[in-house]
């Protein structure tokens, strides 16, 4: 299934003349530390993006931990990382994950493409067995939806500070 989805993403990126610079996934209820599988996947992506000859196209891995059960704060934790390859003398070893510093820059507005992709994603995953019920309590008196809103609100583009985008997300996730 993942291979089919990746192929569809590549086709869509080619049609829109976009370049892959990384990938992300979530650890929904755990901290954002890379697992051995994450390290393996990151190394695979880095090798795929290596390019011909000496050219190197960077590949950023990002892990998002939206509902880390060990932290009750409203912000989601994120880790950006890359993997240093194992030494040539030990090619079968795992690479070493290296965390990266980053700065988030807000866009000035949200495009219709982004809104369409969000709708498509929520429709695509709506039947998954591990789907979060955003009305449920996450921690004490905070619902999963309140946690999501608290985490996202400070990261919105400048034209979305009036709450319309939060309302759009709310309507997508709570049917």
């Amino acid at each position: 299934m993942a291979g089919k989805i990746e192929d569809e993403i590549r086709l869509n990126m080619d049609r829109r003349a976009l370049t892959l610079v990384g990938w992300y996934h979530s650890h929904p209820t755990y901290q954002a530390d890379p697992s051995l599988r994450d390290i393996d996947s990151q190394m695979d992506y880095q090798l795929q993006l290596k390019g011909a000859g000496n050219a190197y196209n960077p590949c950023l891995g990002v892990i998002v931990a939206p509902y880390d059960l060990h932290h009750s704060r409203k912000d989601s934790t994120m880790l950006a990382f890359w993997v240093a390859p194992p030494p040539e003398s030990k090619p079968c070893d795992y690479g070493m994950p290296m965390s990266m510093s980053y700065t988030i820059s807000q866009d000035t507005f949200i495009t219709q493409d982004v809104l369409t992709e969000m709708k498509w994603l929520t429709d695509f995953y709506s039947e998954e067995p591990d789907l979060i019920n955003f009305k449920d309590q996450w921690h004490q008196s905070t619902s999963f939806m309140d946690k999501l809103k608290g985490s996202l609100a400070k990261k919105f583009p400048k034209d979305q500070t009036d709450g319309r985008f939060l309302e759009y997300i709310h309507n997508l996730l709570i049917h």
Side-chain angles (χ1 to χ4, degrees):
M1 176 86 152
K4 181 180 178 187
I5 292 170
E6 285 182 11
D7 289 343
E8 189 173 325
I9 291 169
R10 281 189 187 97
L11 280 171
N12 197 349
M13 287 179 64
D14 287 346
R15 271 183 282 193
R16 294 163 55 189
L18 299 173
T19 302
L20 180 69
V21 295
W23 66 291
Y24 84 96
H25 72 288
S26 66
H27 290 182
T29 57
Y30 300 99
Q31 57 198 36
D33 294 327
S35 66
L36 291 177
R37 183 176 182 180
D38 298 337
I39 293 167
D40 235 8
S41 295
Q42 176 63 21
M43 196 71 205
D44 285 346
Y45 283 120
Q46 286 176 200
L47 291 172
Q48 288 176 30
L49 292 177
K50 185 174 181 252
N54 291 329
Y56 180 73
N57 296 315
C59 180
L60 173 69
V62 175
I63 301 172
V64 180
Y67 303 107
D68 185 348
L69 299 175
H70 300 96
H71 298 285
S72 59
R73 65 187 214 201
K74 286 222 177 170
D75 263 10
S76 297
T77 56
M78 292 184 355
L79 172 77
F81 74 106
W82 66 283
V83 174
E88 287 185 23
S89 61
K90 298 180 180 179
C92 293
D93 282 3
Y94 281 94
M96 175 66 68
M98 309 295 283
S99 64
M100 301 172 71
S101 300
Y102 60 90
T103 302
I104 295 175
S105 298
Q106 290 178 307
D107 287 334
T108 46
F109 60 90
I110 294 176
T111 65
Q112 186 59 47
D113 280 352
V114 170
L115 298 174
T116 302
E117 290 287 327
M118 289 175 67
K119 175 70 173 126
W120 180 83
L121 284 168
T122 56
D123 290 346
F124 182 84
Y125 288 107
S126 66
E127 301 299 320
E128 290 298 309
D130 57 351
L131 184 70
I132 291 175
N133 181 346
F134 286 93
K135 295 177 187 174
D136 287 351
Q137 294 304 113
W138 166 67
H139 188 269
Q140 295 175 352
S141 63
T142 305
S143 70
F144 281 96
M145 180 55 73
D146 291 337
K147 164 72 164 102
L148 180 67
K149 287 178 177 181
S151 185
L152 291 177
K154 294 179 267 179
K155 299 173 178 80
F156 285 163
K158 295 172 181 131
D159 74 332
Q160 296 299 322
T161 56
D162 62 0
R164 288 178 296 142
F165 192 47
L166 276 177
E167 187 65 26
Y168 178 76
I169 291 169
H170 180 93
N171 291 334
L172 282 177
L173 298 175
I174 296 185
H175 307 297

